[in-house]
Structures are given as C-alpha cells and as structure tokens.
Amino acid sequence: MVKRYTDMAYKAADDMIFGKSVYPVKAELGLEVGAGYVTAEVNYAPRPEAGVSKEKLVSEYRRLTTDIMARAVQIGFPAVSLETEHVEQMTNNPDWGGEVAHVQKTILEEYHEEYGIKCGLRHTPGDIREDRDLLALIGPKYDKLMESFEAVAEAGADFLSIETMGGKEILDYAVLRNDVPGLIYAIGCLGSMDMTMIWEDIRKIADKKGRIAAGDTDCAQANTAMFIAGGLLDKNLAHTLAIIARAISAPRTLAGYEAGAQGPGKDCGYENTIVKAITGCPISQEGKTSTCAHADVMGNLVMQCCDLWSNESVEYHGEFGGTTVQCWSESLNYDAAMLNVATETGNAKMLRDILVLSDKYRDPQGYVLAYDNAYKVAESIVKDGDDLYLRAKNAAIACVDILNDADSKKLMMSKFEQNALADAKASLDAMTDEADTFMSESLEKYKAEVAVFRPEDNYKF
C-alpha cells in the first residue's frame, strides 16, 4: 500500500546527523544502519574482460570480495558493507547475479564467523528496461528485472536497490532546453509514477525472502544534470538548473519509500538528505571518496547525514597499495572511524558543521543541499505530499527561493547562473497549481515534441 508523506521525521534540521536515523535497519550479519554509527559501503566494478562468461565474472567478484574483507580485518575495522551494482549480464541473466550474490554472502559469513566483523551486502540490478532508443518500462524487460531481484534476494543480498529510469526520455529533451516544467514532468511526475510501481514489487520480493527493500536514486536524471553542469568553469548547463533538478528529484526518490523502501538509500542520490528529513530512513552517500568515479563540488558536505559512506564505484585492478577495492575501502573506513569517534566524544554536530561549511558556499548545489536548506526543501514537499505534481513544483520553488535569499558575498554566482535562476523563477511563476491541467498539457506537448515518448506503454496512461 502506498502512503504519501505529509509530515517530517525530524522536528528541526539540527536534529539530523550522520550515523543516526529515526528508523534504522539491520542486516543478517550484525550490521545495523542508522543505529548510531557510520559504516563504509564499498562499491566496485569488474574488469570488462571478466564479463565474457558467468564463471569468469563470479571468479572476479570472489576475488574482490575477499580482498575487501581481508583488508578490513587486517586494519581492524569493525564493520563494512558492500554494494554490487550489476553489469548488464548479471541482470539479463538472473542466475549470474544470483550466483555472484551467493558467493559474496558466503565470504561475508566466513569473515563474520571468524573475526566478528559486521557485514552487509547490497545488490543493485541494472534498469534494463529499454529497447534500443525507447524505454520499455512495462513488459518482458520488467519481468526479467523482477527475476533478477528474486535471484539475488534468494542468494543472500541484504539490501535490494536499483537506479530507475522512469521519465528519462523527457528529461533528456528538457534539460537541453532549460525547460523547468519539463524537469518537473520528467522527474517529479513520470519518475514518481514509475518509482511507485517498481518499489511496490521490490518490497513484495524483499518481504517474501526476508530481505530489506533499500532505496533508489535519481541517477538517470538529476545526476545527468549534475554531470552536464560540470565544474565551476563549465557552462553547458547552469549549476542553478542542476540543483533545481536535484530538488525535484527528492520527491521522486521519496516515492520509493512511500511504496515500500526502508533504506539505506543509494549512495549517488545527492537528494538523500532531503529524503532523510522526511522519512527518517538511513541513507548512503558518496562525496570526496568517489573521485575514482567523478569530480565533486561538495565532497565533504554530503557526509553531513550519511549512515553509510561510499566511493560510488571503482574498477577492480591493482594499485601500489593493493587492489583498488582494498585502497578505497580503507579510505572509506577511516572516514567512518572519524565520524564515529566524533559521535562517541560528543562532537558530532561540530564535525558535521565543519564538513558542511567547507563546501556550502562553493557552488549553488552544495548550498541548497546543506542540511539546513535541505530541510526547507523537505518541508515544501510534505506541504502537498499527496500531490505528485505540486510537491515537485514546491521543491523547485523552494530551491529557487533559497538561492535568491542567499548572501551574495558568500555564495557568489556569475551572471550566467543568475540569469538562469531568474529564467527558472519566471517559468515556475507561470505554472498552474492544477495538477490535472499540468499533466494533460504536458502529455499533449511532449507526445508531439518527443518522438521516443510512449506514455501509454510505459506509464499506464
């Protein structure tokens, strides 16, 4: 049953902190997430040549999993969680993903039994629901995806996640045209509709297998905008537009929790602080330790409320300090140790605020995602929490207002950014408050303008 959020989980922004959530979750091998401590979540990818056969792929994951666990006990870390983001072969062939999960969980069980280390295993099947240039969200590809979830849950994966693509065909069109209503339609409306459908089914599988329906991320849309926006010298997309897309992604990611997700949310969901403020569920985050995968303008700030701390993904190969998974897992674990000691010594909020202030005024994206402002966006969402359109629009408006109210001597925005922000505000001011009107007009507009948009096939119109 879908239950929309109309209230906040936290009474104040200052109550939010790393390592603690209102509703912790517990994995099979002793790991609790959000129960008072932060744990490293190591993310990795096999070498391309390992994907030529099931046997080679399983062998690759066996080696890298053993490497991670061996390094953790060698250095003396008390807990670690692993995330396996599927390469396409693992989702398209559910028995491949199931065998990898089984091998990994067996290794974790052995280390837990011998050394007492607390362990968790997340599996993230790939969203394979596409057919050449078209999304195919409903149909045979969906059925195959659910088979993949069944296989990894049966094989022992504690946390079930995915990075869904609903609305992506409109996002790609809208983001290149600075089309704010299009962002709201793509992410806030179509994305939320797809999330509601898929997470109801993931939760059913999780309950049946005794696993945890963890969480999603708007990687396909808000992260696309973030990567197009790039660094401080890039002008392919205004950073103010990128953070508006991110704000809109929060109610979309929230829809997964409303349909059954329990956390921890996925690491690359930079919207997760907003979502945690509403749900109270634990979250994973990535930042400065994800430089093996991409640059980041808020690499410290996003540690502010994390319950798992991740490196995004790194290809498995050798480095001077060991294999990549050993090197990056060690860095993650040391960060987690620092956060946990801050909690133990009563300095958690001081460290949180230092992390935030080190990035808050670097870029509009970090400014809005700082926990105090993220909380304001969250409040705007629950105000109309029952209406997918209005809450997405509210999030965008709150984001614009936060940026317009910022101290210009601290958060310095170029003319390019200021103009983009002004244009976005004008677009939002002109938008209707009637969801039915917006949905019908958007349907007509994008069916005419976007050749790959198939609403009847993908969104049950």
Side-chain angles (χ1 to χ4, degrees), residues 251-263:
R252 172 231 172 254
T253 298
L254 179 68
Y257 293 88
E258 293 169 329
Q262 303 157 279

Side-chain angles (χ1 to χ4, degrees), residues 405-418:
D405 291 343
D407 185 340
S408 61
K409 293 182 180 179
K410 292 183 176 180
L411 180 66
M412 294 181 285
M413 291 186 283
S414 66
K415 276 290 184 185
F416 173 70
E417 295 291 350
Q418 293 174 18

Side-chain angles (χ1 to χ4, degrees), residues 106-271:
T106 300
I107 295 168
L108 266 57
E109 288 170 344
E110 292 169 353
Y111 273 85
H112 176 67
E113 183 177 344
E114 184 167 355
Y115 301 103
I117 186 170
K118 299 175 183 179
C119 309
L121 177 64
R122 187 200 301 260
H123 263 245
T124 304
D127 195 345
I128 57 173
R129 299 175 298 156
E130 55 185 339
D131 185 12
R132 295 190 178 182
D133 294 330
L134 301 174
L135 290 182
L137 301 182
I138 301 170
K141 295 290 184 74
Y142 186 86
D143 297 338
K144 181 67 72 174
L145 180 58
M146 291 301 111
E147 287 180 36
S148 180
F149 276 109
E150 290 266 3
V152 298
E154 178 68 29
D158 298 292
F159 308 124
L160 306 181
S161 284
I162 189 172
E163 301 178 1
T164 48
M165 295 197 298
K168 174 70 169 170
E169 71 275 57
I170 303 302
L171 180 282
D172 288 346
Y173 180 86
V175 75
L176 296 177
R177 292 163 175 79
N178 294 341
D179 177 3
V180 174
L183 299 181
I184 290 174
Y185 186 58
I187 304 172
C189 299
L190 299 179
S192 295
M193 292 163 63
D194 182 53
M195 286 280 286
T196 301
M197 174 186 72
I198 197 168
W199 276 98
E200 283 189 290
D201 287 342
I202 294 171
R203 179 59 187 267
K204 290 174 185 175
I205 293 170
D207 287 348
K208 181 171 68 173
K209 302 294 185 181
R211 306 304 177 192
I212 297 167
D216 211 302
T217 164
D218 196 31
C219 183
Q221 302 191 81
N223 284 13
T224 295
M226 180 176 73
F227 293 142
I228 293 173
L232 300 182
L233 300 182
D234 295 317
K235 293 186 178 181
N236 293 321
L237 180 72
H239 291 208
T240 47
L241 261 293
I243 189 56
I244 290 170
R246 180 69 64 190
I248 297 167
S249 78
R252 172 231 172 254
T253 298
L254 179 68
Y257 293 88
E258 293 169 329
Q262 303 157 279
K266 271 279 291 156
D267 57 346
C268 62
Y270 283 72
E271 66 273 13

Side-chain angles (χ1 to χ4, degrees), residues 308-447:
L308 295 176
W309 182 234
S310 173
N311 63 308
E312 214 287 338
S313 190
V314 67
E315 185 186 83
Y316 182 58
H317 58 253
E319 298 280 6
F320 287 149
T323 59
T324 50
V325 294
Q326 291 179 313
C327 297
W328 288 95
S329 65
E330 186 172 336
S331 294
L332 290 169
N333 273 293
Y334 274 119
D335 281 344
M338 175 185 65
L339 297 174
N340 293 335
V341 168
T343 298
E344 292 164 7
T345 58
N347 293 302
K349 288 186 176 181
M350 180 184 295
L351 178 56
R352 176 199 63 189
D353 292 348
I354 290 171
L355 293 167
V356 169
L357 287 172
S358 69
D359 291 333
K360 185 174 182 179
Y361 298 103
R362 187 189 311 279
D363 184 82
Q365 296 170 91
Y367 185 77
V368 173
L369 292 178
Y371 69 90
D372 55 334
N373 289 326
Y375 191 88
K376 295 175 185 176
V377 176
E379 288 181 311
S380 76
I381 293 167
V382 299
K383 183 175 67 174
D384 290 296
D386 290 322
D387 190 312
L388 295 182
Y389 162 63
L390 281 181
R391 69 189 199 174
K393 180 188 171 192
N394 289 351
I397 292 172
C399 177
V400 169
D401 289 345
I402 288 167
L403 291 175
N404 278 326
D405 291 343
D407 185 340
S408 61
K409 293 182 180 179
K410 292 183 176 180
L411 180 66
M412 294 181 285
M413 291 186 283
S414 66
K415 276 290 184 185
F416 173 70
E417 295 291 350
Q418 293 174 18
N419 290 340
L421 185 62
D423 290 344
K425 185 180 188 313
S427 293
L428 289 165
D429 288 345
M431 291 178 68
T432 179
D433 287 333
E434 298 296 326
D436 289 343
T437 300
F438 175 79
M439 292 298 288
S440 61
E441 290 178 351
S442 296
L443 178 62
E444 182 179 352
K445 170 182 170 64
Y446 295 109
K447 280 184 70 173

